[in-house]
Amino acid sequence: MAETSQTIPVQAPPAGIWHRLLRRKLAVFGFAIIALVVGGAVFAPWIVRYPPDEQLFDGLSLFGEPMPPSRAFLLGTDLLGRDLFSRMLYGAQTSLIIGIVANGVALLIGTLVGVVAGFVRGWVGAVLMRFTDLMMAFPALLLAICLAAIFQPSLWIVAMVIALVNWVQTARVIYTETTSLAEREFIAAEKTLGASRSRILFRHILPHLVPTLIVWGTLGISVTVLLEATLSFLGVGVQPPTPSWGNIIFENQTYFQAAPWLVFIPGAAILLLALAFNLVGDALRDVLDPTQRGND
Amino acid sequence: MLGYLVRRLVQSVLILLGVSFITFVLLYVLPADPVRQIAGRSATAQTVENIRQQLGLDQPMLVQYWRYLSGLVQGDMGRSYLQKTEVSTLIAARLPASLLLMAAGIFCELLIGLTLGVIAAIFRGRSLDQGLMVTSFVAVSAPQFVVGLLLLYVFAVQLGWFPIGGYGTAAHLVLPAVTLGIMGSGWYSRMMRSSMVDVLRQDYIRTARAKGLTRRRILLRHALPNAILPIIAMIGIDIGIFMGGIVVVESVFGWPGIGQLAWQAIQRVDIPIIMGVTMVSATAIVLGNLLADLVTPLIDPRIKLR
């Protein structure tokens, strides 16, 4: 069992992947947005002028209305007189943490289920895939809302809820890929040469799944960001005063006719971030998967 | 064919059983106590206990589940804790509004998605094609509640073309339906484009061209029907996404459907309603998938059912 203790050998990406990615304008646009959001989230404490949950003395007009964007408040203030720009930057932290954690866990569960079902097979595999079928029949958003409402939602609970709902797609894709890989000639050749099952799994099956995982991982972040925003918008996601782009809209939507920026600035941010991950994921798919080429 | 159908039906029933069990277990471990909600804050411990007994919530979980299941088979979904009405009556009253919204949403999704997909395929590789494909990415990346609020702001608040919310006339339906359809239209335009591009590469298209048919006739009579059919079969698979979408869209537009019903029930821990809506949604999803699988071989005889 020497092989199992080794780290999974990830093949070095073929030379020129970055080069090919950076030739695509849309992928570059996506990378730029992601870099901007990550930068804003990481350096938020040094960038913002006001703490995100401080109700500022001059944050509301004399009539108690939120202030529109101005010099003092780059993106205006919200219903409680807090600086929207500060809340947006700290909200980016929320979106990114959930996007990465929830999607990472979902990817892990999905890969585990898919690989076990596709490679080990037997009754374990059968049970896993029937369970996956069952999960497919759940109305995903309804399930997520239920789960989030059951547990008192905190940042990490919301991430786990999203992971529990989102692993299913990955499991199906990885399962299909694994079964088709397991039937290929080079695997049969390895078997004939006397390779152990773990060697085949770790040296041949898993490395071949890496491109698929990279693509699904990237596209999945976009799905996760949208789901977190939706849950927070419905009030069962990340709870105020912790800012999230979704709950900024949730808190301010009653006032959106008079102060539309409070809804549409975070809305545009959610859209741009999801779009960025979709564009990068799509470009990665074209670059990493040669069978997709020629369709454009 | 018949054997396949029977096997799939049995499978579907088993899946629904599983869904009902998991939902029941989830709601059973719910930390929020529904009895407290019903009894109100000033209730004595004795009253709370009485209500618990009345509703059968003091029984072991499996007994409760069995009772629920045997009712469900007879079409009895239990009574709402708070509204004191049969859940089936509540759902039946709300379902037509949701079905109407979903039908209109699917119509918008197909109309926008297929049209843009065909146009992109015809102008393949040119800037119009690229522009449309970027648009489709924007559509799938846009959160539904933001699209809904944006449409409300522009077309209801600013322009006043449509009512701000509510239910009743055709004008009320337009904005919610478009909101529901936009995300899917992004996927459909991409699928339609690649399906159309695929068909346009086939030999029979070259034959048609060699016969001297007009471009218009080739596109409309030869390519389009063949490209569109596999896409149509996908609608069945989409039901699950729509079931989630209506919760959001109904909440933004105040549309009185089962999405709103479920949402209010979740907030008040009205478990029978949550169970009921989950079961109705799961049934719709399972039926949609079954339909998609059954329709596919009718469309393309090369695909055999296993």
Side-chain angles (χ1 to χ4, degrees):
Chain A
M1 294 298 281
E3 287 88 0
T4 45
S5 61
Q6 285 173 2
T7 48
I8 303 164
V10 177
Q11 289 168 334
I17 278 199
W18 277 105
H19 189 72
R20 291 222 301 276
L21 266 181
L22 293 181
R23 261 205 332 240
R24 293 164 180 267
K25 278 191 214 124
L26 289 175
V28 173
F29 174 74
F31 276 123
I33 300 276
I34 294 170
L36 202 68
V37 174
V38 171
V42 171
F43 298 110
W46 294 278
I47 299 175
V48 302
R49 244 185 286 177
Y50 317 98
D53 40 14
E54 186 178 316
Q55 300 189 12
L56 300 160
F57 176 69
D58 50 358
L60 292 173
S61 72
L62 290 176
F63 307 102
E65 290 161 331
M67 308 287 270
S70 65
R71 260 241 187 102
F73 308 106
L74 275 182
L75 301 178
T77 59
D78 73 358
L79 286 187
L80 298 175
R82 297 172 296 192
D83 180 38
L84 183 61
F85 183 63
S86 306
R87 292 190 71 71
M88 286 297 295
L89 287 194
Y90 280 91
Q93 294 181 347
T94 311
S95 286
L96 287 174
I97 290 176
I98 291 200
I100 291 164
V101 172
N103 188 51
V105 174
L107 212 59
L108 201 71
I109 302 177
T111 311
L112 213 65
V113 170
V115 168
V116 170
F119 187 68
V120 182
R121 300 198 181 184
W123 66 269
V124 181
V127 168
L128 282 177
M129 281 331 278
R130 288 296 84 76
F131 184 65
T132 310
D133 286 346
L134 207 161
M135 289 296 293
M136 297 279 283
F138 263 105
L141 186 64
L142 210 57
L143 180 67
I145 296 173
C146 255
L147 286 173
I150 289 173
F151 305 105
Q152 299 301 318
S154 72
L155 188 70
W156 303 108
I157 295 274
V158 172
M160 288 311 111
V161 164
I162 293 176
L164 277 181
V165 173
N166 270 355
W167 62 269
V168 187
Q169 294 291 343
T170 315
R172 289 199 68 90
V173 171
I174 294 295
Y175 169 76
T176 320
E177 195 116 324
T178 310
T179 41
S180 84
L181 269 175
E183 281 160 12
R184 296 261 289 275
E185 285 92 356
F186 73 96
I187 299 290
E190 275 288 312
K191 271 187 202 150
T192 327
L193 289 171
S196 68
R197 278 172 75 79
S198 61
R199 184 183 164 85
I200 293 177
L201 180 60
F202 285 97
R203 295 220 42 139
H204 297 285
I205 303 269
L206 286 181
H208 274 98
L209 293 175
V210 169
T212 311
L213 285 173
I214 292 176
V215 171
W216 274 86
T218 315
L219 294 174
I221 294 183
S222 152
V223 177
T224 311
V225 166
L226 288 178
L227 190 52
E228 183 273 322
T230 304
L231 289 178
S232 296
F233 166 72
L234 289 171
V236 292
V238 179
Q239 296 298 302
T242 307
S244 119
W245 293 346
N247 76 25
I248 294 176
I249 300 178
F250 166 71
E251 287 184 301
N252 297 303
Q253 63 163 329
T254 47
Y255 215 68
F256 92 99
Q257 295 186 25
W261 67 88
L262 286 173
V263 166
F264 296 122
I265 289 174
I270 300 167
L271 191 152
L272 278 175
L273 189 61
L275 177 65
F277 281 108
N278 269 332
L279 290 175
V280 172
D282 187 61
L284 277 168
R285 173 167 36 206
D286 286 351
V287 170
L288 291 174
D289 183 358
T291 58
Q292 291 282 327
R293 233 169 276 155
N295 278 345
D296 296 305
Chain B
M1 181 72 194
L2 194 66
Y4 173 81
L5 193 64
V6 170
R7 208 170 67 234
R8 282 301 308 265
L9 280 175
V10 172
Q11 248 174 32
S12 305
V13 171
L14 286 179
I15 285 182
L16 288 177
L17 261 178
V19 170
S20 74
F21 185 70
I22 291 180
T23 316
F24 202 89
V25 171
L26 270 178
L27 296 175
Y28 190 83
V29 300
L30 194 80
D33 188 354
V35 180
R36 285 248 158 245
Q37 291 262 340
I38 303 162
R41 264 185 216 167
S42 54
T44 60
Q46 186 56 45
T47 326
V48 169
E49 209 40 55
N50 284 344
I51 295 176
R52 197 184 301 280
Q53 262 176 28
Q54 236 175 40
L55 294 172
L57 292 175
D58 54 340
Q59 308 272 327
M61 185 186 78
L62 281 178
V63 175
Q64 284 189 46
Y65 176 64
W66 179 250
R67 205 186 279 167
Y68 181 79
L69 201 62
S70 36
L72 192 63
V73 182
Q74 298 163 38
D76 174 14
M77 302 174 127
R79 272 167 163 274
S80 155
Y81 288 161
L82 297 168
Q83 306 197 33
K84 313 290 182 212
T85 321
E86 293 287 325
V87 171
S88 45
T89 318
L90 284 170
I91 291 182
R94 301 283 198 118
L95 201 55
S98 286
L99 288 178
L100 178 67
L101 178 56
M102 275 174 68
I106 292 175
F107 176 76
C108 286
E109 171 181 88
L110 290 177
L111 188 72
I112 303 172
L114 299 190
T115 313
L116 296 187
V118 169
I119 294 175
I122 293 174
F123 291 92
R124 183 178 162 217
R126 288 195 242 162
S127 49
L128 179 62
D129 173 27
Q130 281 156 7
L132 285 176
M133 287 302 103
V134 172
T135 314
S136 77
F137 264 129
V138 174
V140 300
S141 311
Q144 275 174 324
F145 57 95
V146 174
V147 174
L149 290 170
L150 187 66
L151 292 179
L152 262 182
Y153 186 71
V154 175
F155 293 104
V157 178
Q158 295 292 330
L159 297 172
W161 292 356
F162 298 102
I164 288 188
Y167 175 67
T169 66
H172 287 99
L173 183 59
V174 177
L175 294 182
V178 173
T179 307
L180 195 57
I182 274 188
M183 186 180 269
S185 73
W187 292 123
Y188 275 95
S189 67
R190 300 185 75 80
M191 287 191 296
M192 186 66 210
R193 176 186 177 278
S194 72
S195 172
M196 191 79 176
V197 165
D198 229 35
V199 166
L200 286 175
R201 273 202 205 122
Q202 303 289 322
D203 290 340
Y204 64 82
I205 296 293
R206 196 184 312 151
T207 312
R209 203 171 288 152
K211 278 199 303 189
L213 296 184
T214 59
R215 194 174 148 74
R216 190 192 161 84
R217 192 176 166 82
I218 292 173
L219 283 174
L220 293 182
R221 290 293 305 261
H222 294 249
L224 196 58
N226 282 303
I228 240 173
L229 284 176
I231 308 276
I232 298 292
M234 306 283 301
I235 300 170
I237 301 168
D238 276 359
I239 300 290
I241 299 167
F242 273 102
M243 280 295 170
I246 57 169
V247 180
V248 176
V249 174
E250 287 181 3
S251 148
V252 170
F253 289 94
W255 189 264
I258 57 170
Q260 283 269 64
L261 184 68
W263 176 223
Q264 285 158 3
I266 288 171
Q267 284 169 317
R268 296 181 200 151
V269 210
D270 202 336
I271 294 174
I273 296 185
I274 307 177
M275 274 301 294
V277 175
T278 308
M279 288 314 294
V280 169
S281 309
T283 310
I285 293 172
V286 167
L287 282 180
N289 281 333
L290 190 62
L291 214 64
D293 286 353
L294 290 178
V295 165
T296 310
L298 295 182
I299 290 170
D300 188 345
R302 285 169 300 185
I303 297 172
K304 286 244 156 50
L305 293 175
R306 278 189 296 125

